[in-house]
Amino acid sequence: MRVKLEVNGVTHEREVEPRTLLVYFLREELGLTGTNVGCDTTSCGACTVLMDGESVKSCTVLAAQADGRSITTIEGLAEGEELHPMQRAFREHHGLQCGYCTPGMVMAAVSLVTESPDLDETHVREGLEGNLCRCTGYHNIVAAVLDAARSSREGAW
Amino acid sequence: MIPASFDYVRPGSLDEAVSALAEHGDEAKLLAGGHSLLPLMKLRLATPSVLVDIGRLGELSYVNDAGDHLAIGALTRHHDLHHDPVAMHHAPLLSFVAGRIGDPQVRHRGTIGGSIAHADPASDLPAAVLALGGTLVARGPGGDREIPADRFFQGFLESALTPEEVLTEIRVPKATAGHAYQKFVRRAQDWAIVGSVVARVDGRVGVALVNVGPTPVRADAVETALAGGASAAEAAELAAEGLEPPADNNATPEFRRHLARVLTARALAEAGL
Ligand SMILES: Cc1cc2nc3c(=O)[nH]c(=O)nc-3n(C[C@H](O)[C@H](O)[C@H](O)COP(=O)(O)OP(=O)(O)OC[C@H]3O[C@@H](n4cnc5c(N)ncnc54)[C@H](O)[C@@H]3O)c2cc1C
Ligand code: FES
Ligand code: FES
């Protein structure tokens, strides 16, 4: 079947098998390997991307379900050399170690802060419950997201 | 993990969806949010040869005040139900329960209709609709049919729907007199090991349990005791009556019976009983 998706602002049209999962469409068809596959069972959140601005686990969405929609991956966040405020906050607060969970974590955090910029620590921890990190212990991730949320409230996004 | 091959159709309306099911029979499966079905297909535990994607039928995504009850379109996502002002006002239990499902990504995709039709005893919304005494509306080739929630859940992942029917609407009485959902989990994001839902509707108390058998169940003995004037603590002691809960890595049947009693006591207290 033919699908047409806008990914990071660019429209891509491709012939795919209906069973093609969005994450493999992004990684293998479009070469956007920033989105990782961790568990492949909808548990870890490493594959999180934005679909029409909302976080989804792309290992559990068909490319066919994303047909006609707008997808943002980690590659689409920065403006040229200028990191997105969420990426900057992760770097400043040391919110990553091996980095495997980071693309999904950042996308989930962007969706969370966009939905509710006024969040506190509990809200951040609960809002990221769909994303697992085996390295950091989450502490610095939470600090980064709270800082980025502050900058979003101040109008920096 | 990649699902087995299938044909994909995307009907443009509910009527087209019903025709597509009629045409393909039980070879076909409806796809709503895909957050129960796609994981099963990736594990090849489900191998439908046709997927009928109703995920975009906006006509089935709504929460309406229908006078004495609330009417919820089957394709209303957990995220939308959780944040819907009409649901929060008239059926705060449902909106609360929707917010306890999985994680934000799951709630951005999963729908109430998918959750109910899937008939997983470990799911949250089926028990909530049971406790509220809701009604399910299905559209088939012969028109619409109403099914009381009490008769909807027939076995493990088995509902009263025929393969040609689409669940279109979930109706629940307005209920604002008190409610609670006690969901016992060991990790964030998980399904309930056991859950207990309490809903106060028109002077009646509905109690339903999650993950204590092949279907979500009403705690009849608790409801009857409360109606007969028993205290909440006395009634909660009866929560495990008649249950034959499953054993798995998370809990033995005996632990599940214990959880049913303790969570029901907590839920009744939280609901102001
Ligand atoms: C990581 C993860 C965690 C989760 N945690 C929880 C949890 O804590 N609690 C919980 O309750 N659920 C949980 N879920 C399940 C989630 O709520 C699913 O979204 C829901 O069970 C199914 O809804 P869906 O729209 O995704 O249905 P789908 O997966 O699209 O469909 C499920 C089944 O229902 C059928 N169906 C769908 N819509 C209709 C309809 N309108 N009429 C007739 N048949 C229909 C389909 O054919 C299929 O057989 C979790 C899922 C995941 C992946
Ligand atoms: S790879 Fe999708 S959730 Fe883990
Ligand atoms: S930084 Fe290694 S998994 Fe999160």
Side-chain angles (χ1 to χ4, degrees), chain A residues 41-43 57, chain B residues 29-39 54 74 78 100-103 106 109-111 113-115 117-118 122-125 161 165-168 183 189-192:
Chain A
T41 57
T42 337
S43 308
K57 292 177 175 175
Chain B
K29 275 245 164 233
L30 291 171
L31 178 70
H35 270 49
S36 288
L37 184 54
L38 291 177
I54 54 172
H78 307 323
R100 298 291 324 272
I101 295 173
D103 55 50
V106 171
R109 297 297 298 153
T111 66
S115 220
H118 196 55
S123 284
D124 305 310
L125 285 169
L161 295 173
E165 281 178 322
V166 180
L167 176 62
T168 55
K183 177 173 180 176
Q189 187 211 63
D190 262 351
W191 273 266

mmCIF file of all heavy atoms in Angstrom, chain A residues 41-43 57, chain B residues 29-39 54 74 78 100-103 106 109-111 113-115 117-118 122-125 161 165-168 183 189-192, ligand 1:
data_model
loop_
_atom_site.group_PDB
_atom_site.id
_atom_site.type_symbol
_atom_site.label_atom_id
_atom_site.label_comp_id
_atom_site.label_asym_id
_atom_site.label_seq_id
_atom_site.Cartn_x
_atom_site.Cartn_y
_atom_site.Cartn_z
ATOM 1 N N THR A 41 8.219 -4.461 22.614
ATOM 2 C CA THR A 41 6.954 -4.969 23.171
ATOM 3 C C THR A 41 6.169 -3.866 23.891
ATOM 4 O O THR A 41 5.438 -4.144 24.853
ATOM 5 C CB THR A 41 7.194 -6.108 24.176
ATOM 6 O OG1 THR A 41 8.052 -5.619 25.212
ATOM 7 C CG2 THR A 41 7.830 -7.314 23.531
ATOM 8 N N THR A 42 6.310 -2.622 23.459
ATOM 9 C CA THR A 42 5.514 -1.503 23.977
ATOM 10 C C THR A 42 5.786 -1.161 25.436
ATOM 11 O O THR A 42 4.988 -0.504 26.077
ATOM 12 C CB THR A 42 3.989 -1.777 23.819
ATOM 13 O OG1 THR A 42 3.784 -2.725 22.772
ATOM 14 C CG2 THR A 42 3.237 -0.511 23.454
ATOM 15 N N SER A 43 6.929 -1.623 25.960
ATOM 16 C CA SER A 43 7.165 -1.415 27.384
ATOM 17 C C SER A 43 8.174 -0.322 27.710
ATOM 18 O O SER A 43 8.015 0.391 28.692
ATOM 19 C CB SER A 43 7.672 -2.718 28.021
ATOM 20 O OG SER A 43 6.814 -3.780 27.708
ATOM 21 N N LYS A 57 4.414 5.115 21.018
ATOM 22 C CA LYS A 57 5.495 4.138 20.905
ATOM 23 C C LYS A 57 5.461 3.591 19.476
ATOM 24 O O LYS A 57 4.543 2.852 19.110
ATOM 25 C CB LYS A 57 5.310 3.036 21.956
ATOM 26 C CG LYS A 57 5.513 3.593 23.372
ATOM 27 C CD LYS A 57 5.282 2.572 24.465
ATOM 28 C CE LYS A 57 5.629 3.184 25.829
ATOM 29 N NZ LYS A 57 5.303 2.272 26.949
ATOM 30 N N LYS B 29 -10.251 -8.539 11.574
ATOM 31 C CA LYS B 29 -10.265 -7.975 12.928
ATOM 32 C C LYS B 29 -10.329 -6.472 12.806
ATOM 33 O O LYS B 29 -9.678 -5.879 11.935
ATOM 34 C CB LYS B 29 -8.974 -8.333 13.673
ATOM 35 C CG LYS B 29 -9.014 -9.668 14.345
ATOM 36 C CD LYS B 29 -8.940 -9.469 15.868
ATOM 37 C CE LYS B 29 -9.356 -10.697 16.635
ATOM 38 N NZ LYS B 29 -10.391 -10.388 17.612
ATOM 39 N N LEU B 30 -11.100 -5.862 13.705
ATOM 40 C CA LEU B 30 -11.090 -4.407 13.763
ATOM 41 C C LEU B 30 -9.796 -3.953 14.425
ATOM 42 O O LEU B 30 -9.280 -4.604 15.328
ATOM 43 C CB LEU B 30 -12.275 -3.905 14.595
ATOM 44 C CG LEU B 30 -13.662 -4.099 13.997
ATOM 45 C CD1 LEU B 30 -14.726 -3.741 15.037
ATOM 46 C CD2 LEU B 30 -13.834 -3.212 12.755
ATOM 47 N N LEU B 31 -9.283 -2.825 13.964
ATOM 48 C CA LEU B 31 -8.122 -2.189 14.590
ATOM 49 C C LEU B 31 -8.560 -0.814 15.081
ATOM 50 O O LEU B 31 -8.998 0.013 14.287
ATOM 51 C CB LEU B 31 -6.997 -2.045 13.559
ATOM 52 C CG LEU B 31 -5.721 -1.359 14.031
ATOM 53 C CD1 LEU B 31 -4.962 -2.227 15.029
ATOM 54 C CD2 LEU B 31 -4.810 -1.015 12.848
ATOM 55 N N ALA B 32 -8.481 -0.607 16.406
ATOM 56 C CA ALA B 32 -8.832 0.714 16.956
ATOM 57 C C ALA B 32 -7.515 1.411 17.282
ATOM 58 O O ALA B 32 -6.832 1.904 16.392
ATOM 59 C CB ALA B 32 -9.745 0.553 18.156
ATOM 60 N N GLY B 33 -7.113 1.428 18.558
ATOM 61 C CA GLY B 33 -5.820 2.015 18.901
ATOM 62 C C GLY B 33 -4.664 1.065 18.647
ATOM 63 O O GLY B 33 -3.511 1.470 18.549
ATOM 64 N N GLY B 34 -4.982 -0.221 18.579
ATOM 65 C CA GLY B 34 -3.953 -1.224 18.290
ATOM 66 C C GLY B 34 -3.088 -1.590 19.482
ATOM 67 O O GLY B 34 -2.128 -2.346 19.334
ATOM 68 N N HIS B 35 -3.415 -1.085 20.676
ATOM 69 C CA HIS B 35 -2.496 -1.316 21.789
ATOM 70 C C HIS B 35 -2.780 -2.591 22.577
ATOM 71 O O HIS B 35 -2.109 -2.878 23.575
ATOM 72 C CB HIS B 35 -2.385 -0.084 22.673
ATOM 73 C CG HIS B 35 -1.259 0.786 22.176
ATOM 74 N ND1 HIS B 35 -1.142 1.129 20.850
ATOM 75 C CD2 HIS B 35 -0.180 1.317 22.800
ATOM 76 C CE1 HIS B 35 -0.041 1.848 20.696
ATOM 77 N NE2 HIS B 35 0.567 1.975 21.854
ATOM 78 N N SER B 36 -3.761 -3.360 22.153
ATOM 79 C CA SER B 36 -3.854 -4.750 22.600
ATOM 80 C C SER B 36 -3.584 -5.664 21.412
ATOM 81 O O SER B 36 -2.879 -6.662 21.528
ATOM 82 C CB SER B 36 -5.246 -5.050 23.182
ATOM 83 O OG SER B 36 -5.386 -4.422 24.424
ATOM 84 N N LEU B 37 -4.143 -5.293 20.260
ATOM 85 C CA LEU B 37 -4.059 -6.192 19.102
ATOM 86 C C LEU B 37 -2.654 -6.252 18.487
ATOM 87 O O LEU B 37 -2.156 -7.343 18.197
ATOM 88 C CB LEU B 37 -5.088 -5.739 18.046
ATOM 89 C CG LEU B 37 -5.206 -6.630 16.816
ATOM 90 C CD1 LEU B 37 -5.481 -8.072 17.208
ATOM 91 C CD2 LEU B 37 -6.304 -6.118 15.880
ATOM 92 N N LEU B 38 -2.007 -5.107 18.280
ATOM 93 C CA LEU B 38 -0.694 -5.150 17.607
ATOM 94 C C LEU B 38 0.357 -5.914 18.430
ATOM 95 O O LEU B 38 1.108 -6.707 17.847
ATOM 96 C CB LEU B 38 -0.209 -3.737 17.243
ATOM 97 C CG LEU B 38 -1.013 -3.054 16.126
ATOM 98 C CD1 LEU B 38 -0.507 -1.630 15.889
ATOM 99 C CD2 LEU B 38 -0.952 -3.844 14.820
ATOM 100 N N PRO B 39 0.420 -5.722 19.764
ATOM 101 C CA PRO B 39 1.371 -6.559 20.517
ATOM 102 C C PRO B 39 1.108 -8.059 20.318
ATOM 103 O O PRO B 39 2.056 -8.839 20.185
ATOM 104 C CB PRO B 39 1.138 -6.138 21.975
ATOM 105 C CG PRO B 39 0.668 -4.723 21.875
ATOM 106 C CD PRO B 39 -0.178 -4.686 20.618
ATOM 107 N N ILE B 54 -10.500 1.146 12.069
ATOM 108 C CA ILE B 54 -11.540 2.134 12.360
ATOM 109 C C ILE B 54 -10.975 3.291 13.189
ATOM 110 O O ILE B 54 -11.715 4.156 13.646
ATOM 111 C CB ILE B 54 -12.731 1.496 13.121
ATOM 112 C CG1 ILE B 54 -12.250 0.767 14.393
ATOM 113 C CG2 ILE B 54 -13.498 0.534 12.209
ATOM 114 C CD1 ILE B 54 -13.385 0.282 15.292
ATOM 115 N N ALA B 74 -17.066 4.677 21.117
ATOM 116 C CA ALA B 74 -16.122 3.582 21.332
ATOM 117 C C ALA B 74 -14.681 3.975 21.014
ATOM 118 O O ALA B 74 -13.746 3.416 21.564
ATOM 119 C CB ALA B 74 -16.528 2.374 20.487
ATOM 120 N N HIS B 78 -8.203 6.796 25.776
ATOM 121 C CA HIS B 78 -8.072 6.915 27.235
ATOM 122 C C HIS B 78 -7.660 8.344 27.607
ATOM 123 O O HIS B 78 -8.158 8.910 28.562
ATOM 124 C CB HIS B 78 -7.019 5.940 27.771
ATOM 125 C CG HIS B 78 -7.232 4.515 27.349
ATOM 126 N ND1 HIS B 78 -8.476 3.936 27.222
ATOM 127 C CD2 HIS B 78 -6.346 3.538 27.017
ATOM 128 C CE1 HIS B 78 -8.338 2.673 26.858
ATOM 129 N NE2 HIS B 78 -7.058 2.408 26.718
ATOM 130 N N ARG B 100 -5.483 5.972 34.796
ATOM 131 C CA ARG B 100 -4.623 5.001 35.472
ATOM 132 C C ARG B 100 -4.146 3.889 34.533
ATOM 133 O O ARG B 100 -3.448 2.977 34.937
ATOM 134 C CB ARG B 100 -5.355 4.348 36.668
ATOM 135 C CG ARG B 100 -5.775 5.272 37.787
ATOM 136 C CD ARG B 100 -4.596 5.831 38.576
ATOM 137 N NE ARG B 100 -3.487 4.911 38.745
ATOM 138 C CZ ARG B 100 -3.354 4.028 39.724
ATOM 139 N NH1 ARG B 100 -4.258 3.940 40.655
ATOM 140 N NH2 ARG B 100 -2.303 3.250 39.788
ATOM 141 N N ILE B 101 -4.573 3.945 33.281
ATOM 142 C CA ILE B 101 -4.215 2.879 32.337
ATOM 143 C C ILE B 101 -2.797 3.102 31.802
ATOM 144 O O ILE B 101 -2.477 4.203 31.343
ATOM 145 C CB ILE B 101 -5.199 2.875 31.151
ATOM 146 C CG1 ILE B 101 -6.604 2.507 31.639
ATOM 147 C CG2 ILE B 101 -4.738 1.922 30.056
ATOM 148 C CD1 ILE B 101 -7.671 2.638 30.580
ATOM 149 N N GLY B 102 -1.983 2.061 31.845
ATOM 150 C CA GLY B 102 -0.678 2.073 31.175
ATOM 151 C C GLY B 102 0.112 3.338 31.448
ATOM 152 O O GLY B 102 0.321 3.724 32.593
ATOM 153 N N ASP B 103 0.555 3.977 30.375
ATOM 154 C CA ASP B 103 1.375 5.175 30.471
ATOM 155 C C ASP B 103 0.861 6.188 29.442
ATOM 156 O O ASP B 103 -0.039 5.869 28.668
ATOM 157 C CB ASP B 103 2.847 4.807 30.224
ATOM 158 C CG ASP B 103 3.042 4.087 28.904
ATOM 159 O OD1 ASP B 103 2.557 4.575 27.862
ATOM 160 O OD2 ASP B 103 3.675 3.012 28.885
ATOM 161 N N VAL B 106 0.519 4.942 25.840
ATOM 162 C CA VAL B 106 -0.586 3.976 25.682
ATOM 163 C C VAL B 106 -1.915 4.730 25.663
ATOM 164 O O VAL B 106 -2.795 4.451 24.849
ATOM 165 C CB VAL B 106 -0.554 2.930 26.818
ATOM 166 C CG1 VAL B 106 -1.810 2.070 26.810
ATOM 167 C CG2 VAL B 106 0.690 2.046 26.703
ATOM 168 N N ARG B 109 -3.070 6.305 22.452
ATOM 169 C CA ARG B 109 -3.515 5.423 21.365
ATOM 170 C C ARG B 109 -4.732 4.585 21.738
ATOM 171 O O ARG B 109 -5.632 4.406 20.923
ATOM 172 C CB ARG B 109 -2.377 4.459 20.949
ATOM 173 C CG ARG B 109 -1.136 5.115 20.388
ATOM 174 C CD ARG B 109 -1.391 5.869 19.100
ATOM 175 N NE ARG B 109 -1.858 5.005 18.031
ATOM 176 C CZ ARG B 109 -2.624 5.418 17.009
ATOM 177 N NH1 ARG B 109 -3.009 6.668 16.933
ATOM 178 N NH2 ARG B 109 -3.002 4.579 16.079
ATOM 179 N N GLY B 110 -4.753 4.024 22.940
ATOM 180 C CA GLY B 110 -5.793 3.061 23.310
ATOM 181 C C GLY B 110 -7.157 3.713 23.437
ATOM 182 O O GLY B 110 -7.275 4.879 23.819
ATOM 183 N N THR B 111 -8.202 2.947 23.129
ATOM 184 C CA THR B 111 -9.568 3.469 23.156
ATOM 185 C C THR B 111 -10.422 2.677 24.149
ATOM 186 O O THR B 111 -10.142 1.508 24.434
ATOM 187 C CB THR B 111 -10.229 3.347 21.770
ATOM 188 O OG1 THR B 111 -10.386 1.950 21.456
ATOM 189 C CG2 THR B 111 -9.384 4.016 20.690
ATOM 190 N N GLY B 113 -13.434 1.598 23.578
ATOM 191 C CA GLY B 113 -14.096 0.509 22.853
ATOM 192 C C GLY B 113 -13.173 -0.687 22.699
ATOM 193 O O GLY B 113 -13.582 -1.842 22.896
ATOM 194 N N GLY B 114 -11.910 -0.421 22.375
ATOM 195 C CA GLY B 114 -10.936 -1.503 22.234
ATOM 196 C C GLY B 114 -10.739 -2.221 23.555
ATOM 197 O O GLY B 114 -10.652 -3.451 23.624
ATOM 198 N N SER B 115 -10.681 -1.444 24.619
ATOM 199 C CA SER B 115 -10.477 -1.994 25.950
ATOM 200 C C SER B 115 -11.632 -2.911 26.337
ATOM 201 O O SER B 115 -11.418 -3.993 26.889
ATOM 202 C CB SER B 115 -10.422 -0.820 26.924
ATOM 203 O OG SER B 115 -9.477 -0.992 27.888
ATOM 204 N N ALA B 117 -14.015 -4.281 24.204
ATOM 205 C CA ALA B 117 -14.205 -5.373 23.250
ATOM 206 C C ALA B 117 -13.143 -6.462 23.457
ATOM 207 O O ALA B 117 -13.405 -7.640 23.259
ATOM 208 C CB ALA B 117 -14.155 -4.851 21.820
ATOM 209 N N HIS B 118 -11.949 -6.050 23.860
ATOM 210 C CA HIS B 118 -10.868 -7.018 24.059
ATOM 211 C C HIS B 118 -11.182 -7.958 25.233
ATOM 212 O O HIS B 118 -10.700 -9.083 25.284
ATOM 213 C CB HIS B 118 -9.556 -6.267 24.294
ATOM 214 C CG HIS B 118 -8.337 -7.109 24.128
ATOM 215 N ND1 HIS B 118 -8.079 -7.824 23.004
ATOM 216 C CD2 HIS B 118 -7.309 -7.369 24.983
ATOM 217 C CE1 HIS B 118 -6.946 -8.487 23.152
ATOM 218 N NE2 HIS B 118 -6.465 -8.229 24.339
ATOM 219 N N ALA B 122 -7.783 -8.348 33.071
ATOM 220 C CA ALA B 122 -6.798 -7.513 33.765
ATOM 221 C C ALA B 122 -6.951 -6.040 33.405
ATOM 222 O O ALA B 122 -6.238 -5.201 33.937
ATOM 223 C CB ALA B 122 -5.390 -7.995 33.421
ATOM 224 N N SER B 123 -7.857 -5.705 32.493
ATOM 225 C CA SER B 123 -8.026 -4.307 32.087
ATOM 226 C C SER B 123 -8.891 -3.546 33.085
ATOM 227 O O SER B 123 -9.715 -4.129 33.773
ATOM 228 C CB SER B 123 -8.652 -4.238 30.697
ATOM 229 O OG SER B 123 -7.684 -4.548 29.733
ATOM 230 N N ASP B 124 -8.702 -2.246 33.111
ATOM 231 C CA ASP B 124 -9.347 -1.407 34.120
ATOM 232 C C ASP B 124 -10.764 -0.970 33.752
ATOM 233 O O ASP B 124 -11.675 -1.016 34.581
ATOM 234 C CB ASP B 124 -8.496 -0.159 34.363
ATOM 235 C CG ASP B 124 -7.062 -0.510 34.740
ATOM 236 O OD1 ASP B 124 -6.881 -1.334 35.639
ATOM 237 O OD2 ASP B 124 -6.131 0.039 34.110
ATOM 238 N N LEU B 125 -10.951 -0.493 32.513
ATOM 239 C CA LEU B 125 -12.253 0.080 32.158
ATOM 240 C C LEU B 125 -13.402 -0.935 32.173
ATOM 241 O O LEU B 125 -14.519 -0.576 32.559
ATOM 242 C CB LEU B 125 -12.176 0.787 30.795
ATOM 243 C CG LEU B 125 -11.463 2.143 30.824
ATOM 244 C CD1 LEU B 125 -11.198 2.657 29.403
ATOM 245 C CD2 LEU B 125 -12.272 3.179 31.606
ATOM 246 N N LEU B 161 -19.944 -9.802 21.670
ATOM 247 C CA LEU B 161 -19.996 -9.306 20.291
ATOM 248 C C LEU B 161 -19.831 -10.458 19.304
ATOM 249 O O LEU B 161 -19.046 -11.374 19.548
ATOM 250 C CB LEU B 161 -18.865 -8.299 20.039
ATOM 251 C CG LEU B 161 -18.896 -6.982 20.817
ATOM 252 C CD1 LEU B 161 -17.608 -6.197 20.559
ATOM 253 C CD2 LEU B 161 -20.115 -6.151 20.426
ATOM 254 N N GLU B 165 -19.926 -7.547 14.412
ATOM 255 C CA GLU B 165 -20.406 -6.349 15.102
ATOM 256 C C GLU B 165 -19.279 -5.391 15.476
ATOM 257 O O GLU B 165 -18.181 -5.810 15.823
ATOM 258 C CB GLU B 165 -21.162 -6.746 16.379
ATOM 259 C CG GLU B 165 -22.572 -7.220 16.103
ATOM 260 C CD GLU B 165 -23.288 -7.646 17.379
ATOM 261 O OE1 GLU B 165 -22.651 -8.249 18.261
ATOM 262 O OE2 GLU B 165 -24.492 -7.388 17.475
ATOM 263 N N VAL B 166 -19.619 -4.104 15.441
ATOM 264 C CA VAL B 166 -18.721 -3.062 15.921
ATOM 265 C C VAL B 166 -19.331 -2.494 17.196
ATOM 266 O O VAL B 166 -20.515 -2.142 17.215
ATOM 267 C CB VAL B 166 -18.579 -1.922 14.882
ATOM 268 C CG1 VAL B 166 -17.638 -0.841 15.400
ATOM 269 C CG2 VAL B 166 -18.102 -2.459 13.543
ATOM 270 N N LEU B 167 -18.541 -2.448 18.254
ATOM 271 C CA LEU B 167 -18.991 -1.757 19.465
ATOM 272 C C LEU B 167 -18.943 -0.264 19.152
ATOM 273 O O LEU B 167 -17.909 0.250 18.714
ATOM 274 C CB LEU B 167 -18.036 -2.106 20.616
ATOM 275 C CG LEU B 167 -18.260 -1.414 21.951
ATOM 276 C CD1 LEU B 167 -19.620 -1.744 22.529
ATOM 277 C CD2 LEU B 167 -17.164 -1.819 22.936
ATOM 278 N N THR B 168 -20.078 0.423 19.335
ATOM 279 C CA THR B 168 -20.112 1.832 18.924
ATOM 280 C C THR B 168 -20.154 2.785 20.106
ATOM 281 O O THR B 168 -19.606 3.874 20.046
ATOM 282 C CB THR B 168 -21.342 2.114 18.037
ATOM 283 O OG1 THR B 168 -22.513 1.703 18.746
ATOM 284 C CG2 THR B 168 -21.235 1.370 16.725
ATOM 285 N N LYS B 183 -6.008 0.074 42.526
ATOM 286 C CA LYS B 183 -5.300 -0.760 41.557
ATOM 287 C C LYS B 183 -3.965 -1.162 42.172
ATOM 288 O O LYS B 183 -3.146 -0.301 42.493
ATOM 289 C CB LYS B 183 -5.082 0.050 40.268
ATOM 290 C CG LYS B 183 -4.284 -0.653 39.183
ATOM 291 C CD LYS B 183 -4.274 0.159 37.884
ATOM 292 C CE LYS B 183 -3.467 -0.557 36.813
ATOM 293 N NZ LYS B 183 -3.507 0.131 35.512
ATOM 294 N N GLN B 189 3.079 1.637 35.275
ATOM 295 C CA GLN B 189 2.719 1.290 33.900
ATOM 296 C C GLN B 189 2.032 -0.068 33.762
ATOM 297 O O GLN B 189 1.433 -0.358 32.741
ATOM 298 C CB GLN B 189 4.000 1.330 33.029
ATOM 299 C CG GLN B 189 3.834 1.171 31.545
ATOM 300 C CD GLN B 189 5.048 0.490 30.946
ATOM 301 O OE1 GLN B 189 5.349 -0.645 31.260
ATOM 302 N NE2 GLN B 189 5.731 1.178 30.036
ATOM 303 N N ASP B 190 2.073 -0.917 34.830
ATOM 304 C CA ASP B 190 1.583 -2.284 34.659
ATOM 305 C C ASP B 190 0.066 -2.410 34.733
ATOM 306 O O ASP B 190 -0.620 -1.536 35.215
ATOM 307 C CB ASP B 190 2.181 -3.180 35.748
ATOM 308 C CG ASP B 190 3.387 -3.930 35.237
ATOM 309 O OD1 ASP B 190 3.625 -3.878 34.024
ATOM 310 O OD2 ASP B 190 4.077 -4.563 36.055
ATOM 311 N N TRP B 191 -0.402 -3.564 34.276
ATOM 312 C CA TRP B 191 -1.778 -3.976 34.517
ATOM 313 C C TRP B 191 -1.929 -4.259 36.006
ATOM 314 O O TRP B 191 -0.956 -4.573 36.694
ATOM 315 C CB TRP B 191 -2.071 -5.254 33.749
ATOM 316 C CG TRP B 191 -2.516 -5.044 32.353
ATOM 317 C CD1 TRP B 191 -3.811 -4.972 31.915
ATOM 318 C CD2 TRP B 191 -1.698 -4.902 31.184
ATOM 319 N NE1 TRP B 191 -3.829 -4.779 30.552
ATOM 320 C CE2 TRP B 191 -2.567 -4.736 30.079
ATOM 321 C CE3 TRP B 191 -0.327 -4.888 30.960
ATOM 322 C CZ2 TRP B 191 -2.112 -4.568 28.784
ATOM 323 C CZ3 TRP B 191 0.130 -4.712 29.675
ATOM 324 C CH2 TRP B 191 -0.752 -4.554 28.606
ATOM 325 N N ALA B 192 -3.185 -4.228 36.486
ATOM 326 C CA ALA B 192 -3.451 -4.520 37.888
ATOM 327 C C ALA B 192 -3.143 -5.990 38.177
ATOM 328 O O ALA B 192 -3.513 -6.868 37.406
ATOM 329 C CB ALA B 192 -4.917 -4.242 38.193
HETATM 330 C C1 LIG C 1 2.376 -1.241 27.625
HETATM 331 C C2 LIG C 1 0.892 -1.353 27.768
HETATM 332 C C3 LIG C 1 0.328 -1.188 29.015
HETATM 333 C C4 LIG C 1 -1.052 -1.286 29.178
HETATM 334 N N1 LIG C 1 -1.568 -1.129 30.420
HETATM 335 C C5 LIG C 1 -2.902 -1.249 30.606
HETATM 336 C C6 LIG C 1 -3.468 -1.076 31.893
HETATM 337 O O1 LIG C 1 -2.782 -0.799 32.868
HETATM 338 N N2 LIG C 1 -4.811 -1.214 32.016
HETATM 339 C C7 LIG C 1 -5.612 -1.480 30.947
HETATM 340 O O2 LIG C 1 -6.823 -1.572 31.122
HETATM 341 N N3 LIG C 1 -5.113 -1.642 29.706
HETATM 342 C C8 LIG C 1 -3.769 -1.526 29.510
HETATM 343 N N4 LIG C 1 -3.264 -1.674 28.254
HETATM 344 C C9 LIG C 1 -4.171 -1.985 27.135
HETATM 345 C C10 LIG C 1 -4.691 -0.711 26.500
HETATM 346 O O3 LIG C 1 -5.602 -0.060 27.353
HETATM 347 C C11 LIG C 1 -5.348 -0.988 25.138
HETATM 348 O O4 LIG C 1 -5.356 0.224 24.477
HETATM 349 C C12 LIG C 1 -6.775 -1.459 25.170
HETATM 350 O O5 LIG C 1 -6.888 -2.630 25.932
HETATM 351 C C13 LIG C 1 -7.285 -1.801 23.770
HETATM 352 O O6 LIG C 1 -7.722 -0.668 23.107
HETATM 353 P P1 LIG C 1 -7.268 -0.378 21.610
HETATM 354 O O7 LIG C 1 -8.082 0.760 21.146
HETATM 355 O O8 LIG C 1 -5.811 -0.219 21.565
HETATM 356 O O9 LIG C 1 -7.770 -1.713 20.880
HETATM 357 P P2 LIG C 1 -7.114 -2.607 19.735
HETATM 358 O O10 LIG C 1 -5.825 -3.173 20.175
HETATM 359 O O11 LIG C 1 -7.155 -1.896 18.443
HETATM 360 O O12 LIG C 1 -8.219 -3.768 19.676
HETATM 361 C C14 LIG C 1 -8.339 -4.710 20.738
HETATM 362 C C15 LIG C 1 -9.384 -5.764 20.359
HETATM 363 O O13 LIG C 1 -10.690 -5.219 20.352
HETATM 364 C C16 LIG C 1 -11.278 -5.259 19.063
HETATM 365 N N5 LIG C 1 -11.946 -3.966 18.884
HETATM 366 C C17 LIG C 1 -11.377 -2.741 18.973
HETATM 367 N N6 LIG C 1 -12.317 -1.781 18.834
HETATM 368 C C18 LIG C 1 -13.491 -2.408 18.644
HETATM 369 C C19 LIG C 1 -14.832 -1.955 18.455
HETATM 370 N N7 LIG C 1 -15.145 -0.658 18.449
HETATM 371 N N8 LIG C 1 -15.800 -2.877 18.278
HETATM 372 C C20 LIG C 1 -15.512 -4.216 18.289
HETATM 373 N N9 LIG C 1 -14.270 -4.693 18.491
HETATM 374 C C21 LIG C 1 -13.264 -3.796 18.664
HETATM 375 C C22 LIG C 1 -10.145 -5.514 18.107
HETATM 376 O O14 LIG C 1 -10.571 -6.220 16.967
HETATM 377 C C23 LIG C 1 -9.193 -6.327 18.950
HETATM 378 O O15 LIG C 1 -9.587 -7.670 18.984
HETATM 379 C C24 LIG C 1 -1.886 -1.556 28.060
HETATM 380 C C25 LIG C 1 -1.332 -1.717 26.802
HETATM 381 C C26 LIG C 1 0.042 -1.627 26.649
HETATM 382 C C27 LIG C 1 0.621 -1.807 25.290
#
